Amino acid sequence: MKIRKNIKKQAKPITFIGLGNMGLPMAQNLINAGHQLNVYNRTAGKADALSGDFEICTSIKEACEGQEIIISMLAEDDVLYQICEGEEGLLNVMQEGAIHISMSTISPDTSRDLSEKHRHKNQHYLSSPVFGRPNAAAEAKLYICTSGEDTIKQKVKSILELLGQAVYDFGTDPGAANVVKLAGNFMIMASMETMAEAFTLAEKQGLDREQVANFFGETVFNAPIYKNYGTLIAKKQYQPVGFKSSLGFKDARLASKMALDAEMPAPLLSLVYNRLLSALAKGNNDSDWVEGIAGGVSNDAGI
Amino acid sequence: MKIRKNIKKQAKPITFIGLGNMGLPMAQNLINAGHQLNVYNRTAGKADALSGDFEICTSIKEACEGQEIIISMLAEDDVLYQICEGEEGLLNVMQEGAIHISMSTISPDTSRDLSEKHRHKNQHYLSSPVFGRPNAAAEAKLYICTSGEDTIKQKVKSILELLGQAVYDFGTDPGAANVVKLAGNFMIMASMETMAEAFTLAEKQGLDREQVANFFGETVFNAPIYKNYGTLIAKKQYQPVGFKSSLGFKDARLASKMALDAEMPAPLLSLVYNRLLSALAKGNNDSDWVEGIAGGVSNDAGI
Amino acid sequence: MKIRKNIKKQAKPITFIGLGNMGLPMAQNLINAGHQLNVYNRTAGKADALSGDFEICTSIKEACEGQEIIISMLAEDDVLYQICEGEEGLLNVMQEGAIHISMSTISPDTSRDLSEKHRHKNQHYLSSPVFGRPNAAAEAKLYICTSGEDTIKQKVKSILELLGQAVYDFGTDPGAANVVKLAGNFMIMASMETMAEAFTLAEKQGLDREQVANFFGETVFNAPIYKNYGTLIAKKQYQPVGFKSSLGFKDARLASKMALDAEMPAPLLSLVYNRLLSALAKGNNDSDWVEGIAGGVSNDAGI
Amino acid sequence: MKIRKNIKKQAKPITFIGLGNMGLPMAQNLINAGHQLNVYNRTAGKADALSGDFEICTSIKEACEGQEIIISMLAEDDVLYQICEGEEGLLNVMQEGAIHISMSTISPDTSRDLSEKHRHKNQHYLSSPVFGRPNAAAEAKLYICTSGEDTIKQKVKSILELLGQAVYDFGTDPGAANVVKLAGNFMIMASMETMAEAFTLAEKQGLDREQVANFFGETVFNAPIYKNYGTLIAKKQYQPVGFKSSLGFKDARLASKMALDAEMPAPLLSLVYNRLLSALAKGNNDSDWVEGIAGGVSNDAGI
């Protein structure tokens, strides 16, 4: 089944796999820029939110036939492996010379492994994880980290630039960009713990959390992470859910695995790992990760 | 002994106590703005670095006689108490109605106590701790937090504005501004631990620390704290010493005391507290606090 | 007011100050052994539970007049200081040459300070903290740690032996015995955290907590601490309250202060400190310390 | 190659795989009790230390032919899997109805998986991990934990009793005994951290570590773990190596995995995990785990 929704003059066609909170606005930006898209999502119906020139494919094979560029944006390592392996997986159905741009938040070892497997099939793999929440994806304000073959980076540069405000490269190790992404998500979680402890301490000393958060967000900590999460933490505003505790924990788990492989004791990483594992243990998998962390700090403090 | 160095038309005279790394450039900014200064420092000779219209006083009594505004900028609670108490202390020698602007990093309880003691003497106490390192003090780029009597804040507003780029007020509890200052220093130490763990993890995974630090400093963590300390931590550049581990630990200790009083378990605070206590245990009191924290992370990781 | 309850042939008279859960059975053991006791407690009425030859005194002065041996068994440093200082305090009312046997769980610095103050009055101070819960006190099964002047230890040896099953000496530093006591209470709290994590892990893996606790208590961990607390932790049996979370936290706090003074980072101590501080933050000051610790582990694990 | 070293009247023959520090004395005890042993070790030559009636086999197949009882005592999950899987692995070469007594310290999931695999081959698997160091193995003083099929436990009861002083059963889940073993090793590591912090604190307060260790080992902590490890920790005696830091870390890692699977935040487990990971990061894989933990505490304390 192919549903041609629209026909207009096109840039290079692209296959886009994974239409979740992040993938959907990213795919839309590519369509808006004139690329004809083959889209595939395991759960059907997600593509209904797209508009413009795209085809909904019902199998990976159908989505990849004759395509040179395949982008994947999925929830975790296991899902990516399911998409890549098996008779109808990317490794089997991508043509020789085609490029798999892998934008999911996954472990560096998964990237290293898949890169090798694509190479054996004379295909290319480019790690390209991103920083930014869905609204940043919609505004093409993502920060994109890349690592892998340099010639491939050149070939897809213009496509990546449609998705983000800047592309940072970290060399030829396919896992490198994933290291940066996971290190960054650890830093975000650590910042949440930092703010939650600081604001709770201030609250218990009689101060107003929001006033304290505003001060830091406007002065020495005037970075987006501190401004945005700072406001949520100060207000204890955990709705709507932007990023689930279960996904945050997944990243803490991947970072811990990475630290284990690198023989790197990381007590602050252990702290946020346990914070979110506690959220999961309490059944709050679907809570926002801000609640998973900051709610834990409040709970310990009896407020 | 009074040494009149210069005579010119003056703004309101001010007494300035404490000519350390921070106090010296702050005092100079007041002189530059036309205020005649009485300066006092326990260790003589520090005032030699000042230029302009000021008098070097050899006792607190001499420094405060007839003065309406007294600023103190000292190393810790104990030193401030020594300056305030005793027969020749501020509480005894300040005239009625005079204002003590207390800018040191001290515990909220010390501020609450001294505020009360000044009140009993019909004097005024204003908590005014600052954020910024000596170069920010020299450029009058400090962020100043205040708390205490509102009428007093109005009276000294123009003076504080000569010392910093912005003044943030936290209400009438004299301890409130100190809570913010200590919470902020905790946040800075926690950020160092965060970066040190993230960069060390990246290094042990084969990446370049500086490249990683630059990426974060330019994107999601583009705040001064992450840019400036991030570069030092990435480069493992611990010289020259900007702020000693012993002073960092003092702040971790005061924050821990504040958390104890507020019945607030703060595991990340405990982590950085132990990090710096280890630096002290190893005899590295005079190392930069960046080394105290980031050096500890490296050491644990065997690099 | 003196109430002579009973008259019989006596061993050396003793003054006993502090008739709480521990002090009461200890005092009774001394009476049973033939010592005539002067007892004093800040809250009246506690002595009603005693039987035998004793006098209830209504002031410390009255309790100490003409006495050579004074034993104190109080809740904390502050209370001991209140008993010792002031016009009617021990330091003022004890006769020259009299001995103060200080059995409370207090900080080593308090012992060092009081020892010095007694010495200035030509009195003697012997640190003699104990290990054991009230039932061990009743059975004279306490373990008693001493430190201080060796000649004094000899003089009171036979009295201490009436209260415990063994006396261990730690030299002449008056604070040494208190270091051992606080280190021991830290070890007990750490053991509770250890068991709580182990048993909870076993439970969440589908095992029976009690069976696991019994196994360890009968084999590699067959010490009283593991047997007794192990059963309580396995059964989540937190009633009746044997030792309050607030008192446990007091000891964690004193141990932390001791670690600070010794420049000793102690992350496990920080962990149990925060565990109990959380219990206090939640208003559970009067819960058993077993609940304070093990209940926290369960709560974090969502059970 | 079969080398018949001795012939005498025999109990039931047994195959013993894994002649390391633990396996060797255990095998010897079985020989001493009259069992004819087929022994196999991946590295040849280990069997030379045995005496009595045994045959050295050069393949697992040879070792298992016609045998009803196979005991494995190996270093870790991976090694056990290598022994079990593949064309010449236990699963393929054991006869129907034969029993695999698995005594290694491995994860519960490995036991659950292998139990299932043996069942599919109509073979039996019994989890039987042990507590005790090599000297306890030599004296048949091990504590043995079992879980799995009850009928199998009855069949091998008399054999297990030759190896240890007591057998404790934990039901039919094949993973249960491994949960207990890993929980126990966590408890031992946590006890080392506990003692190391307590003794270091005492040392830095001026006390003698050994005197403190002796006191606790004779009184409230009079369990083998505290007596034996307590002496080593007090003396900082880390030679000869009894159990390597790398193996201790393996157990901390397995316990952490078990906690992850059970959704159980365990901060003390994280603490000892990081302690030993630091030892590995510093290249001290072959140090005793006592040094890995207690040496880390000393190092942090600057002594």
Side-chain angles (χ1 to χ4, degrees):
Chain A
M1 181 193 76
K2 288 203 182 192
I3 303 165
R4 173 62 50 115
K5 289 263 176 92
N6 198 340
I7 295 182
K8 67 169 179 178
K9 186 169 166 298
Q10 294 163 16
K12 180 178 289 195
I14 296 172
T15 296
F16 202 103
I17 298 175
L19 297 173
N21 291 340
M22 292 295 289
L24 203 65
M26 291 164 73
Q28 187 65 58
N29 281 335
L30 295 173
I31 295 170
N32 294 349
H35 289 278
Q36 194 277 322
L37 250 64
N38 280 1
V39 301
Y40 174 79
N41 198 68
R42 288 181 307 162
T43 318
K46 292 295 183 88
D48 297 348
L50 289 175
S51 64
D53 184 13
F54 64 95
E55 294 185 19
I56 300 173
C57 303
T58 57
S59 75
I60 295 166
K61 186 175 181 179
E62 181 193 338
C64 294
E65 223 156 20
Q67 297 287 91
E68 287 174 26
I69 307 284
I70 292 91
I71 295 177
S72 64
M73 188 63 182
L74 302 159
E76 51 182 329
D77 295 58
D78 286 353
V79 179
L80 180 58
Y81 267 118
Q82 287 165 26
I83 293 291
C84 287
E85 299 192 320
E87 207 177 325
E88 297 250 318
L90 277 187
L91 287 160
N92 247 355
V93 305
M94 273 170 57
Q95 63 185 18
E96 290 205 358
I99 299 167
H100 175 191
I101 305 176
S102 173
M103 308 191 80
S104 317
T105 297
I106 53 171
S107 78
D109 282 347
T110 294
S111 269
R112 288 164 187 148
D113 180 45
L114 289 177
S115 178
E116 188 66 14
K117 285 173 172 158
H118 276 296
R119 207 177 53 77
H120 280 134
K121 297 277 192 173
N122 292 318
Q123 301 154 355
H124 303 281
Y125 176 93
L126 186 69
S127 287
S128 308
V130 306
F131 282 93
R133 287 173 81 128
N135 61 330
E139 297 166 15
K141 290 273 184 65
L142 299 172
Y143 295 108
I144 302 174
C145 300
T146 59
S147 66
E149 296 172 66
D150 286 331
T151 54
I152 300 304
K153 290 168 200 163
Q154 289 312 311
K155 281 194 184 163
V156 305
K157 188 167 184 286
S158 60
I159 293 170
L160 294 180
E161 284 170 354
L162 294 172
L163 298 170
Q165 62 181 297
V167 178
Y168 286 78
D169 185 59
F170 291 91
T172 55
D173 167 15
N178 303 105
V179 170
V180 176
K181 172 61 186 167
L182 290 174
N185 273 18
F186 153 64
M187 287 172 70
I188 294 171
M189 291 184 273
S191 301
M192 290 188 213
E193 174 77 24
T194 298
M195 286 184 278
E197 291 192 15
F199 300 168
T200 303
L201 184 47
E203 176 184 1
K204 294 198 79 166
Q205 279 276 350
L207 282 81
D208 179 71
R209 289 169 74 103
E210 286 188 61
Q211 197 182 8
V212 173
N214 290 342
F215 167 67
F216 287 119
E218 288 175 13
T219 59
V220 284
F221 288 95
N222 62 343
I225 291 296
Y226 282 84
K227 285 173 181 292
N228 302 340
Y229 287 115
T231 303
L232 298 176
I233 291 169
K235 292 187 175 176
K236 300 177 189 169
Q237 178 189 317
Y238 306 136
Q239 296 292 339
V241 172
F243 190 67
K244 291 181 184 178
S245 287
S246 56
L247 288 172
F249 178 71
K250 182 207 72 172
D251 294 346
R253 181 171 54 74
L254 292 179
S256 297
K257 177 62 169 53
M258 195 164 84
L260 166 63
D261 293 338
E263 289 190 343
M264 157 78 198
L268 177 45
L269 173 54
S270 298
L271 175 54
V272 295
Y273 173 103
N274 281 324
R275 203 54 103 185
L276 285 170
L277 184 52
S278 184
L280 269 55
K282 291 175 178 176
N284 301 326
N285 305 48
D286 294 337
S287 66
D288 195 281
W289 67 340
V290 175
E291 181 169 14
I293 292 175
V297 171
S298 290
N299 179 56
D300 283 357
I303 57 176
Chain B
M1 181 192 80
K2 287 204 183 193
I3 303 166
R4 174 59 52 113
K5 288 265 175 91
N6 197 338
I7 297 183
K8 68 170 179 178
K9 185 169 167 298
Q10 294 163 17
K12 179 179 290 196
I14 296 172
T15 295
F16 202 102
I17 298 175
L19 298 173
N21 291 338
M22 292 295 290
L24 203 64
M26 291 164 73
Q28 185 65 58
N29 281 335
L30 295 174
I31 295 170
N32 294 349
H35 289 279
Q36 195 277 325
L37 250 62
N38 280 2
V39 300
Y40 173 80
N41 197 67
R42 288 182 306 162
T43 318
K46 292 294 183 88
D48 297 348
L50 289 175
S51 64
D53 184 12
F54 64 96
E55 294 185 18
I56 300 174
C57 303
T58 56
S59 74
I60 295 165
K61 185 174 182 181
E62 180 192 338
C64 295
E65 222 156 21
Q67 298 285 91
E68 287 174 27
I69 307 283
I70 291 92
I71 296 178
S72 64
M73 188 64 182
L74 301 158
E76 51 184 328
D77 295 58
D78 286 352
V79 179
L80 179 58
Y81 268 118
Q82 287 165 26
I83 293 292
C84 288
E85 300 192 320
E87 204 176 328
E88 297 251 315
L90 278 186
L91 288 160
N92 248 355
V93 305
M94 274 170 56
Q95 63 186 17
E96 291 206 358
I99 300 167
H100 176 189
I101 306 177
S102 173
M103 307 191 81
S104 318
T105 297
I106 53 170
S107 77
D109 282 347
T110 295
S111 269
R112 289 163 187 149
D113 180 47
L114 289 177
S115 177
E116 188 66 12
K117 285 174 172 159
H118 275 297
R119 206 177 55 77
H120 281 134
K121 297 277 191 173
N122 292 319
Q123 303 153 353
H124 304 282
Y125 176 93
L126 186 69
S127 286
S128 309
V130 306
F131 282 93
R133 286 172 80 126
N135 62 328
E139 297 166 14
K141 290 275 183 63
L142 298 172
Y143 294 109
I144 301 173
C145 299
T146 58
S147 67
E149 294 172 67
D150 287 330
T151 53
I152 300 304
K153 289 168 201 165
Q154 288 312 311
K155 283 194 183 162
V156 304
K157 188 166 185 285
S158 61
I159 293 171
L160 293 180
E161 284 170 351
L162 295 172
L163 297 171
Q165 62 181 295
V167 178
Y168 285 79
D169 186 59
F170 292 90
T172 55
D173 167 15
N178 304 104
V179 170
V180 176
K181 171 61 185 167
L182 290 174
N185 273 18
F186 153 64
M187 288 173 70
I188 294 170
M189 291 185 272
S191 301
M192 290 188 213
E193 175 77 24
T194 298
M195 286 185 278
E197 291 193 16
F199 301 169
T200 303
L201 183 47
E203 176 183 2
K204 294 198 78 166
Q205 279 276 351
L207 282 82
D208 179 72
R209 290 168 75 102
E210 285 188 61
Q211 198 183 5
V212 173
N214 289 341
F215 167 67
F216 287 118
E218 288 175 11
T219 59
V220 283
F221 287 95
N222 61 343
I225 290 297
Y226 281 85
K227 285 173 182 291
N228 302 341
Y229 286 116
T231 302
L232 298 176
I233 291 170
K235 293 187 174 177
K236 299 176 187 168
Q237 179 189 316
Y238 306 135
Q239 298 290 338
V241 172
F243 191 67
K244 290 181 183 178
S245 288
S246 57
L247 288 171
F249 178 71
K250 180 207 74 174
D251 293 346
R253 181 170 54 74
L254 292 180
S256 297
K257 177 62 169 52
M258 194 163 85
L260 166 64
D261 293 338
E263 291 192 342
M264 156 77 198
L268 177 45
L269 174 54
S270 297
L271 175 53
V272 296
Y273 173 103
N274 281 323
R275 210 42 112 189
L276 285 170
L277 185 52
S278 184
L280 270 54
K282 291 175 177 177
N284 300 326
N285 304 46
D286 293 337
S287 66
D288 195 280
W289 67 339
V290 176
E291 182 168 15
I293 292 175
V297 172
S298 290
N299 179 57
D300 283 357
I303 57 177
Chain C
M1 181 192 79
K2 288 202 182 192
I3 304 166
R4 174 59 52 115
K5 288 262 175 95
N6 198 338
I7 297 182
K8 67 171 177 178
K9 185 170 166 296
Q10 294 164 17
K12 178 178 290 195
I14 296 172
T15 296
F16 202 102
I17 298 175
L19 298 172
N21 290 339
M22 292 294 290
L24 202 64
M26 291 164 73
Q28 186 64 60
N29 281 334
L30 295 174
I31 295 170
N32 294 349
H35 290 279
Q36 195 279 323
L37 251 61
N38 280 3
V39 302
Y40 173 79
N41 196 67
R42 288 182 306 163
T43 319
K46 292 295 183 90
D48 297 348
L50 289 175
S51 65
D53 185 12
F54 64 96
E55 294 184 19
I56 300 174
C57 303
T58 56
S59 74
I60 295 165
K61 186 175 181 180
E62 180 192 340
C64 294
E65 224 157 18
Q67 297 286 91
E68 287 174 28
I69 307 283
I70 291 93
I71 296 177
S72 64
M73 188 64 182
L74 302 159
E76 50 184 329
D77 296 57
D78 286 353
V79 179
L80 179 59
Y81 268 118
Q82 288 164 25
I83 293 292
C84 287
E85 300 192 320
E87 205 177 327
E88 296 250 316
L90 278 186
L91 288 160
N92 248 355
V93 304
M94 274 170 56
Q95 64 186 17
E96 291 207 359
I99 300 168
H100 176 189
I101 306 177
S102 172
M103 307 191 80
S104 317
T105 297
I106 53 171
S107 77
D109 282 346
T110 295
S111 269
R112 289 163 187 149
D113 180 46
L114 288 178
S115 177
E116 187 66 12
K117 285 173 173 158
H118 275 296
R119 207 176 54 76
H120 280 133
K121 297 278 192 172
N122 292 319
Q123 303 153 353
H124 304 281
Y125 177 93
L126 186 69
S127 286
S128 308
V130 306
F131 282 93
R133 286 171 80 127
N135 61 329
E139 297 166 17
K141 290 274 183 63
L142 299 172
Y143 294 109
I144 301 173
C145 299
T146 58
S147 67
E149 294 172 68
D150 287 331
T151 53
I152 299 305
K153 290 169 200 164
Q154 288 312 311
K155 283 194 183 163
V156 304
K157 188 166 184 286
S158 60
I159 293 171
L160 294 179
E161 284 170 352
L162 294 172
L163 297 170
Q165 63 181 295
V167 178
Y168 286 79
D169 185 59
F170 291 90
T172 54
D173 167 15
N178 304 104
V179 170
V180 175
K181 172 60 186 169
L182 290 173
N185 273 18
F186 153 63
M187 288 173 70
I188 294 169
M189 290 185 272
S191 301
M192 290 189 214
E193 174 77 24
T194 299
M195 287 184 277
E197 291 193 15
F199 301 168
T200 304
L201 184 47
E203 176 183 1
K204 294 199 78 166
Q205 278 278 349
L207 282 82
D208 179 72
R209 289 169 74 103
E210 286 188 60
Q211 198 182 6
V212 172
N214 289 342
F215 167 67
F216 286 119
E218 288 175 13
T219 60
V220 285
F221 287 96
N222 61 344
I225 291 296
Y226 281 84
K227 285 173 183 290
N228 302 342
Y229 287 116
T231 302
L232 299 176
I233 291 169
K235 292 188 175 176
K236 299 176 188 169
Q237 178 189 315
Y238 307 135
Q239 297 291 339
V241 173
F243 191 67
K244 291 182 182 177
S245 288
S246 57
L247 287 172
F249 179 71
K250 180 208 74 174
D251 294 346
R253 181 170 54 73
L254 291 180
S256 297
K257 177 62 169 52
M258 195 163 84
L260 166 64
D261 293 337
E263 290 192 341
M264 157 78 199
L268 177 45
L269 174 55
S270 297
L271 175 53
V272 296
Y273 173 104
N274 281 323
R275 203 55 103 185
L276 285 170
L277 185 52
S278 183
L280 269 54
K282 292 174 177 176
N284 301 326
N285 304 47
D286 293 337
S287 65
D288 194 279
W289 66 340
V290 175
E291 182 168 15
I293 292 176
V297 171
S298 290
N299 179 56
D300 283 357
I303 58 178
Chain D
M1 183 193 76
K2 288 203 181 192
I3 302 166
R4 172 62 50 112
K5 289 264 176 92
N6 198 339
I7 297 183
K8 68 169 178 178
K9 186 169 166 297
Q10 294 163 16
K12 181 178 288 195
I14 296 172
T15 295
F16 201 103
I17 297 175
L19 298 173
N21 290 339
M22 291 296 289
L24 203 65
M26 291 165 72
Q28 187 64 60
N29 281 336
L30 295 173
I31 295 170
N32 294 349
H35 289 279
Q36 195 278 323
L37 249 65
N38 279 2
V39 301
Y40 172 80
N41 198 67
R42 287 181 307 162
T43 318
K46 292 295 184 86
D48 297 348
L50 290 175
S51 64
D53 185 12
F54 65 95
E55 295 184 19
I56 300 174
C57 303
T58 57
S59 75
I60 295 165
K61 187 176 181 179
E62 182 193 338
C64 294
E65 225 156 18
Q67 297 286 91
E68 287 175 26
I69 307 284
I70 292 93
I71 296 176
S72 64
M73 188 64 183
L74 301 159
E76 51 182 329
D77 295 57
D78 286 353
V79 179
L80 180 59
Y81 268 118
Q82 287 164 27
I83 293 292
C84 287
E85 300 193 317
E87 206 177 326
E88 297 250 318
L90 277 186
L91 288 160
N92 247 355
V93 305
M94 273 171 56
Q95 63 185 18
E96 290 205 358
I99 299 167
H100 176 189
I101 305 177
S102 173
M103 308 191 79
S104 318
T105 298
I106 54 170
S107 77
D109 282 346
T110 295
S111 268
R112 288 162 188 151
D113 180 46
L114 289 178
S115 177
E116 188 67 12
K117 285 174 173 159
H118 276 295
R119 207 177 54 77
H120 280 134
K121 298 277 192 172
N122 292 317
Q123 302 153 355
H124 304 282
Y125 176 93
L126 187 69
S127 287
S128 308
V130 305
F131 282 93
R133 287 173 79 126
N135 61 329
E139 297 166 15
K141 290 275 183 64
L142 298 172
Y143 294 108
I144 301 174
C145 300
T146 58
S147 67
E149 295 172 66
D150 287 331
T151 54
I152 299 304
K153 289 168 201 164
Q154 289 312 312
K155 282 194 183 163
V156 304
K157 188 167 184 286
S158 61
I159 292 171
L160 293 180
E161 284 170 354
L162 295 172
L163 298 171
Q165 61 181 298
V167 178
Y168 286 80
D169 185 59
F170 291 91
T172 55
D173 166 15
N178 304 105
V179 170
V180 176
K181 171 61 185 167
L182 290 174
N185 273 18
F186 153 64
M187 287 172 70
I188 294 170
M189 291 184 274
S191 301
M192 289 188 214
E193 174 77 24
T194 298
M195 286 183 277
E197 291 193 15
F199 300 168
T200 303
L201 183 47
E203 177 184 1
K204 294 198 79 165
Q205 279 276 350
L207 281 81
D208 179 72
R209 288 169 75 102
E210 285 187 62
Q211 198 183 6
V212 173
N214 290 342
F215 167 66
F216 287 119
E218 288 174 13
T219 59
V220 283
F221 287 97
N222 62 343
I225 291 297
Y226 282 84
K227 285 172 181 291
N228 303 340
Y229 287 116
T231 302
L232 298 176
I233 291 169
K235 292 187 175 178
K236 299 177 188 168
Q237 179 189 315
Y238 306 135
Q239 298 292 338
V241 172
F243 190 68
K244 291 181 182 178
S245 288
S246 57
L247 287 172
F249 178 72
K250 181 207 73 172
D251 294 346
R253 181 171 53 75
L254 292 179
S256 298
K257 177 62 169 52
M258 196 163 84
L260 166 63
D261 293 338
E263 289 191 341
M264 157 77 199
L268 178 44
L269 174 54
S270 298
L271 175 53
V272 295
Y273 173 104
N274 281 324
R275 206 49 106 186
L276 285 170
L277 185 52
S278 184
L280 269 54
K282 291 175 177 175
N284 301 326
N285 304 47
D286 294 337
S287 66
D288 195 278
W289 67 339
V290 176
E291 182 169 13
I293 292 175
V297 172
S298 290
N299 179 57
D300 282 358
I303 56 175

